Amino acid sequence: MFTGIIEALGQISDMQSRGTDYRITISTGKLDMSDVKIGDSIATNGVCLTAVELGEHHYVADVSIETIKRSGFAHYKKGQAVNLEKAMAATSRFGGHIVSGHVDGVGEVKSITDLGQTWEVWVKAPDSLAKYLAEKGSVTVDGVSLTVNAVNGAEFRLTLVPHTLKETIIQHYKSGTQVNLEVDVIARYLERLMLGDKAAQPNESNDISLAVLAENGYLK
């Protein structure tokens, strides 16, 4: 479990193909690795990865074909800058929102407006994720917990303050940048719960329809 509060900027220092998977080495920059053990999770651009080898300033992780298909790892290369966050401890302060490290899809930066101290950024999410985006709700972008300030269809607006720009890879964004997106986990589970017994039916009937909303008292 993560909070979306980035602890350090890292970099992919090695990336080896292993059939359909990858084994990657991440240089961890200023990330404190003293309490990290083999098997611990580190969010890497919002993707929960398991450390299989450790060094003082790096870790090695395996990236599965599932992760490659669902995230920006499909086009990452050696030298790629990444946001890093260690899994939170039970005693940690919850500074962002509940982040699982399970990326839902890849979005695209559509525009960036420099407002002086802040940036206004519009991101286009996959159409399938539009229903999970709500004004003043939370979204995770490349592992960063952010507030959605406006929604227009599958596009949403973010306002980035100087600290976020300085401490994350968002400072390198430009129009067309591909970003990992994780929607709010509560919205995902709520959608599934509303299906009730219909959740056991094949996937093609697992969409929330007007009939399902009416049956559950949400429509009159």
Side-chain angles (χ1 to χ4, degrees), residues 163-181:
H163 178 80
T164 301
L165 295 174
K166 178 182 177 183
E167 299 295 330
T168 73
I169 67 168
I170 292 175
Q171 62 187 279
H172 303 303
Y173 284 2
K174 57 186 178 181
S175 181
T177 296
Q178 304 290 295
V179 295
N180 292 328
L181 300 178

Side-chain angles (χ1 to χ4, degrees), residues 90-160:
T91 55
S92 299
R93 178 172 294 176
F94 216 123
H97 73 282
I98 298 173
V99 177
S100 67
H102 302 156
V103 171
D104 293 297
V106 177
E108 180 182 343
V109 174
K110 301 303 292 183
S111 67
I112 298 174
T113 303
D114 188 342
L115 301 176
Q117 294 297 310
T118 61
W119 280 8
E120 183 178 277
V121 179
W122 279 93
V123 177
K124 171 69 167 63
D127 289 349
S128 60
L129 300 184
K131 59 187 174 183
Y132 301 112
L133 301 170
E135 186 173 348
K136 299 307 176 183
S138 297
V139 67
T140 307
V141 180
D142 279 339
V144 184
S145 172
L146 296 169
T147 299
V148 175
N149 285 322
V151 178
N152 182 17
E155 296 188 13
F156 60 95
R157 177 169 57 82
L158 305 168
T159 303
L160 289 310

Side-chain angles (χ1 to χ4, degrees), residues 64-74 105-106:
S64 70
I65 184 63
E66 173 70 10
T67 298
I68 293 168
K69 289 192 300 183
R70 285 184 173 266
S71 73
F73 273 96
V106 177

Side-chain angles (χ1 to χ4, degrees), residues 17-33:
S17 175
R18 294 194 167 194
T20 57
D21 298 350
Y22 285 104
R23 173 159 286 194
I24 63 172
T25 301
I26 305 292
S27 298
T28 54
K30 68 178 183 179
L31 188 70
D32 180 11
M33 297 289 287

